[in-house]
Amino acid sequence: MSAESGHRPGDSIRDSSRPKALVLHGPNLNLTGRREPQIYGTTTLAEIDAALQERAAALGWDLAICQSNHEGALVDFLHAHFGNCDGIVINPGALTHYGLSLRDALAAMGVPIVEVHLSNIHARESWRHHSVVAEIARAQIAGLGWHGYLVGLEALDRLKRS
């Protein structure tokens, strides 16, 4: 922790007058743009995050973004922001179907959650159809490719302002 700023390296610093959204990317999403591009597209995760930052700035939001291939790391990220966010956009990846500790950590946050999937999980293999996050999410966006993240952020903005 820096004695001057009171912040650790990597901490998100925010203007407290602006709402804050968390964006979580689950397992294998670090390979977005390279992994099965016929399903997930060719836009990289870095490009998605840059587009999200740009849209968030235009909407007047601050973002904190986390990608991990490990459920516990995503839970830790949520816990680190407990009481300090206004909404969550999440693509849980494979954790969609069985990530119960992630689901419980999301539910504990007490803020609107928008679940996002690059592909339409309901038009794919039957095991992909069930989401443990859906029952606690305000919305689920599937099949819009990387644009679904932007739609999710815009949905959070509308929910916050209504």
Side-chain angles (χ1 to χ4, degrees), residues 15 22-23 26 63 78-79 112 138 153 161:
D15 173 348
L22 306 181
V23 177
L63 290 186
L78 289 168
H79 289 181
R138 290 287 301 269
L153 185 58
R161 298 183 194 288

Side-chain angles (χ1 to χ4, degrees), residues 71-138:
E71 185 171 7
L74 296 170
V75 170
D76 288 344
F77 179 78
L78 289 168
H79 289 181
H81 293 278
F82 186 84
N84 189 26
C85 75
D86 300 288
I88 299 167
V89 174
I90 181 168
N91 182 340
L95 296 172
T96 299
H97 319 295
Y98 63 86
L100 296 177
S101 64
L102 178 60
R103 178 248 179 251
D104 288 349
L106 287 163
M109 297 298 286
V111 297
I113 298 163
V114 178
E115 181 181 354
V116 173
H117 297 281
L118 296 167
S119 66
N120 182 351
I121 62 172
H122 304 289
R124 297 186 62 196
E125 301 92 339
S126 62
W127 61 268
R128 295 184 189 269
H129 297 180
H130 178 72
S131 166
V132 299
V133 175
E135 66 191 32
I136 60 165
R138 290 287 301 269

